[in-house]
Amino acid sequence: MRLHPSPSPGTPPAGAAGPSMARLALASLVGTAIEFYDFFAYGTAAALVLGPLFFPSFSPLAGTLAAFGTFGVGFIARPLGSVVFGHIGDRYGRRPVLLASLLLTGLATVAVGCVPSYASIGIAAPVLLLLLRFLQGLGLGGEWGGAVLLTAEHAPEGRRGLWSSFPQMGPSAGFLMANGLTLALSGLLSDARFTAWGWRVPFWCAGLLALAGLWLRRSVEETPEFRALSATGRRAQAPLPEVLRGHWRLLLLTGGAMSVGYAVFYAVTTWSLAYTTGPLHMDRTVMLAVVMAAVLLMGLVTAPLAALGDRWGRRPLCLAGSAACVLWMFPFVALLGSADPLLVTVGCAGALLAMVVMYAVAGAYLPELYAPRIRCTGAAVGYNLGGVLGGALTPVVATALAAGSGPPWGVAVFLTVVALVSLGCFALLPETRPVPAAARGGTGADTGAGAAEAAAPA
């Protein structure tokens, strides 16, 4: 196997970056935001209330670990979702993925809000919770691949990083919606009412949001890249076996590379909520506001950083972001342990800013690493494999490592190791930024920049 950039997404006709491109970017952003809203509503509930409601016989620490365990099931389901929806995307088109994944995640999220507590139906309560969380992950596993390919395969050469950053802003927007509503309910309701029914409201609202997203995506056109594959009969018959046979090393490298983004994001947005409002006794409303401020800052810088990726290349930003995460994890834990809202904000914001330097360009980078015929499967499976490595384990491992009475330096060590793994994986991946036509002499396909084709044995 030769590890090098596959042909990048096709260049659309002149003028494609006008209003039509803006509509496509909006459709990808809104849909991804809604799906991540669904996913994050569960993460916040797991950090705040699901332990005592669904695992009442456990100690507070064990209940939180169990709740985070059900949280992790969603990440385990995501690679399976990327396989299922990736097959659909590579065989039948990117557009069906956008609609089906959003519908599945929305229905599962509404159902989470309707599950009775352990006190009402016993062991069936956590079992139902586990099943619905799995379905959430299944849907979200398909969403990312469809959303980023919608923008990447329509975007013009030289602006692909910028346009592909819109679905990358979905997690920030979804988190802000989910936690903004949770914050409002937390402030308006007493602790007893919030625990009794207030936490369910964000899940019920997911139904309305999913309908809005489906309405917005109903008129989305299929991408030029997939239409070209269909017209020439070059669609993959079995995308996953093709990826595993010819690109297994690339798949592992992309999964390892993306793990730092998941680990840092969920350490900030999920574990830190449980740690600061539990052992450190910070006010729940204050901590929600702190994390939201950090995520808002992350969302605001995503597009400018992605534009820098179009100018300087994807790989340099990925290396810089991973290295910044390596350097910031110990300061992050130290600032978190202060329990001072201002210092905690600095710690959380610094961690997310380090991570987003890498994450902002991932929407363009991962699709460019895979050939068009297997792109939906390869990019999505690699991306969601990083979720298993970084996102599923982080809240559980961090909660266990922080169980002692002293500062949780073990959490800093864990996050630093994950960041080092990602840094090493990015170092082994090639650059993919397209070479301008003038630099190619105006001929040839849209190939990757950094064209040193490092041979790698399979």
Side-chain angles (χ1 to χ4, degrees):
M1 183 192 76
R2 294 179 67 82
L3 181 60
H4 60 83
S6 300
S8 298
T11 304
S20 62
M21 197 63 228
R23 286 196 297 270
L24 289 167
L26 179 62
S28 69
L29 168 60
V30 170
T32 307
I34 291 169
E35 292 229 34
F36 275 96
Y37 165 92
D38 297 349
F39 209 69
F40 291 146
Y42 190 99
T44 302
L48 298 178
V49 299
L50 294 187
L53 285 176
F54 289 88
F55 306 95
S57 60
F58 290 15
S59 68
L61 174 61
T64 301
L65 284 169
F68 280 151
T70 62
F71 177 75
V73 167
F75 285 98
I76 295 171
R78 284 173 67 164
L80 179 58
S82 64
V83 169
V84 173
F85 287 103
H87 181 88
I88 294 171
D90 285 326
R91 285 287 297 137
Y92 305 106
R94 322 310 193 195
R95 186 175 180 272
V97 173
L98 295 170
L99 301 175
S101 61
L102 181 57
L103 182 62
L104 175 60
T105 309
L107 290 174
T109 305
V110 172
V112 169
C114 299
V115 176
S117 67
Y118 187 94
S120 300
I121 60 172
I123 193 63
V127 170
L128 285 173
L129 205 62
L130 200 68
L131 173 62
L132 293 171
R133 181 60 177 173
F134 182 86
L135 293 176
Q136 270 191 323
L138 204 67
L140 191 58
E143 165 64 24
W144 185 85
V148 297
L149 293 191
L150 174 68
T151 51
E153 293 187 344
H154 276 97
E157 181 181 336
R159 303 296 296 276
R160 189 171 300 125
L162 175 62
W163 288 114
S164 298
S165 71
F166 279 80
Q168 298 302 88
M169 288 186 273
S172 298
F175 183 88
L176 291 171
M177 287 192 297
N179 285 272
L181 184 52
T182 302
L183 180 62
L185 291 166
S186 180
L188 292 172
L189 301 175
S190 65
D191 284 347
R193 289 182 176 179
F194 182 83
T195 302
W197 58 267
W199 68 272
R200 298 180 183 273
V201 174
F203 293 93
W204 296 336
C205 291
L208 296 176
L209 292 174
L211 289 175
L214 289 170
W215 179 83
L216 185 63
R217 287 182 167 183
R218 76 195 191 286
S219 59
V220 166
E221 297 180 358
E222 189 52 78
T223 70
E225 193 78 25
F226 185 79
R227 291 202 301 267
L229 289 172
S230 298
T232 57
R234 292 186 292 113
R235 288 177 295 172
Q237 296 299 313
L240 182 62
E242 189 171 331
V243 170
L244 294 178
R245 275 197 313 269
H247 307 280
W248 64 268
R249 185 169 180 261
L250 178 60
L251 194 67
L252 293 177
L253 286 175
T254 50
M258 293 307 300
S259 61
V260 66
Y262 284 97
V264 173
F265 189 87
Y266 286 101
V268 171
T269 59
T270 301
W271 169 71
S272 70
L273 276 176
Y275 176 65
T276 54
T277 60
L280 299 186
H281 306 292
M282 285 185 67
D283 181 77
R284 179 176 63 203
T285 303
V286 170
M287 191 57 200
L288 281 170
V290 165
V291 174
M292 286 178 63
V295 172
L296 176 62
L297 181 60
M298 171 188 160
L300 291 174
V301 303
T302 300
L305 286 169
L308 291 179
D310 283 328
R311 183 178 180 86
W312 295 342
R314 327 292 190 210
R315 186 170 174 269
L317 267 71
C318 290
L319 292 170
S322 300
C325 289
V326 171
L327 297 174
W328 189 250
M329 292 303 95
F330 276 89
F332 163 61
V333 169
L335 291 167
L336 201 66
S338 72
D340 179 275
L342 179 59
L343 294 179
V344 171
T345 302
V346 172
C348 292
L352 292 186
L353 285 176
M355 181 273 290
V356 78
V357 174
M358 171 276 296
Y359 185 77
V361 298
Y365 191 34
L366 266 64
E368 288 172 344
L369 287 167
Y370 292 88
R373 58 185 279 112
I374 56 168
R375 180 172 288 146
C376 196
T377 299
V381 172
Y383 180 84
N384 287 294
L385 182 60
V388 175
L389 300 174
L393 296 177
T394 295
V396 175
V397 172
T399 299
L401 292 173
S405 58
W409 298 121
V411 177
V413 172
F414 170 75
L415 294 173
T416 301
V417 169
V418 174
L420 285 169
V421 169
S422 291
L423 182 62
C425 290
F426 278 124
L428 294 172
L429 288 170
E431 179 57 88
T432 63
R433 179 169 58 97
V435 176
R440 299 194 304 264
T443 62
D446 183 17
T447 56
E453 299 181 356

